[in-house]
């Protein structure tokens, strides 16, 4: 396959590749389905600036008119944040969305796929999908986990939120050989709060250590990604009682309304935001910024030691 048959690189990303800079992938589901307008676009732009200021190049990924965009310009970002009919594309959705020339935001899974096609090794987001609560009966297990098992892209996140069953998610990742690294912490962070009560697999303290780990993993042919779980800064973390109550109520409502499939995560995120009067959104934005800082540094370190 000729890459240009499907992929469009933005001028900025093209330039970055030419200048031999580290590139950092960013997803778009968080823009189109994870946050309301206009905070979504504002956040996306700020995340890109943080990455640029650290000397790496941001590449936000989305599907526009069936083209895989590696890097979005301002107009594209605005479109992804404002337009109502943007689909949500995970792995299974890509073939139809691309062949039918549709518009779609990419999830963690499909962003990993596109980043990998573009040769990008580090990807920054807020939170990944996982095994949902009750997943042992519903089989609601995000395709993100399978992607982490097979695609060589590292994902920097703030851990997983308790709309998921964190223990089942960790078990699943263990089975599929995906390392879950606590960045500067022994504990798996729980997205809105720093603590989950669950241990991460390993604690690594610096971007360099993470980069060295990734190099070893991929040098040895150990396919798949890794989760670099970076706790939300203390000052933005939420009281776990308040956030857990909001999560419980949102889960109950999703149940009553019979929400299933790919609607579940966006529904829960938006409910939680309403139930916390926007506090969860504030935390969500800040944790993404914090992940962007760590992700850019990891990408730079990895770029230095990659051939
Ligand atoms: N978790 C968040 N914010 C998000 C998502 C997850 O805190 O925006 C998005 C990501 O794009 C993730 C997707 O890949 O939801 C997972 O959806 P599902 O559970 O349907 O696989
Ligand atoms: Mn699901």
């Amino acid at each position: 396959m000729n890459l240009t048959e499907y992929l469009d690189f933005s001028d900025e990303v093209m330039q970055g590749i030419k200048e031999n800079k580290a590139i950092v992938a960013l997803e778009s589901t968080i823009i189109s389905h994870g946050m309301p307008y206009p905070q979504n676009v504002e956040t996306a732009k700020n995340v890109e600036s943080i990455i640029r200021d650290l000397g790496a190049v941001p590449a936000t990924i989305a599907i526009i008119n069936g083209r895989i965009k590696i890097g979005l310009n301002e107009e594209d970002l605005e479109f992804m944040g404002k337009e109502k009919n943007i689909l949500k594309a995970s792995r299974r959705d890509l073939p139809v969305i691309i062949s039918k020339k549709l518009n779609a935001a990419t999830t963690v899974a499909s962003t990993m796929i596109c980043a990998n096609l573009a040769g990008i090794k580090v990807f920054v987001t807020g939170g990944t999908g996982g095994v949902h609560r009750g997943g042992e009966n519903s089989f609601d297990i995000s395709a993100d986990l399978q992607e982490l098992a097979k695609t060589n892209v590292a994902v920097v996140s703030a851990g997983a939120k308790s709309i998921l069953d964190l223990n089942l998610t960790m078990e699943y990742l263990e089975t599929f050989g995906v390392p879950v690294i606590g960045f500067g912490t022994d504990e798996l962070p729980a997205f809105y709060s720093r603590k989950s009560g669950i241990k991460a697999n390993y604690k690594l303290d610096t971007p360099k250590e993470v980069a060295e780990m990734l190099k070893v993993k991929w040098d040895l042919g150990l396919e798949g990604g890794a989760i670099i779980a970076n706790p939300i800064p203390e000052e933005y973390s939420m009281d776990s009682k308040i956030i857990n109550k909001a999560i419980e109520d949102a889960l109950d409502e999703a149940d009553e309304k019979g929400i299933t499939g790919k609607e579940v995560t966006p529904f829960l995120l938006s409910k939680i935001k309403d139930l916390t009067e926007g506090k969860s959104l504030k935390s969500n934005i800040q944790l993404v910024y914090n992940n962007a800082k760590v992700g850019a540094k990891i990408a730079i370190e990895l770029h230095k030691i990659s051939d």
Side-chain angles (χ1 to χ4, degrees), residues 132 140-142 261-262:
H132 279 257
D140 190 349
I141 300 170
S142 174
K262 66 183 190 178

Side-chain angles (χ1 to χ4, degrees), residues 213-282:
M213 176 278 292
L214 292 170
K215 180 176 181 338
V216 171
K217 186 175 196 288
W218 294 326
D219 277 355
L220 294 178
L222 299 171
E223 282 182 359
I227 293 183
I228 317 305
N230 182 32
I232 184 170
E234 189 76 60
E235 63 267 41
Y236 301 112
S237 74
M238 293 185 71
D239 184 286
S240 39
K241 272 203 204 99
I242 294 176
I243 189 64
N244 285 335
K245 169 85 172 74
I247 288 171
E248 295 289 345
D249 291 352
L251 284 166
D252 286 346
E253 195 172 331
D255 219 29
E256 275 160 30
K257 293 203 160 131
I259 311 271
T260 55
K262 66 183 190 178
E263 313 305 334
V264 172
T265 301
F267 177 86
L268 293 173
L269 291 178
S270 135
K271 269 290 145 215
I272 293 165
K273 186 204 113 218
D274 293 346
L275 291 168
T276 60
E277 289 146 359
K279 283 200 200 93
S280 66
L281 178 60
K282 254 196 189 147

Side-chain angles (χ1 to χ4, degrees), residues 28-43:
S28 45
T29 294
I30 190 173
I31 304 175
S32 303
H33 304 286
M35 287 185 190
Y37 183 82
Q39 288 97 331
N40 54 1
V41 176
E42 196 186 302
T43 304

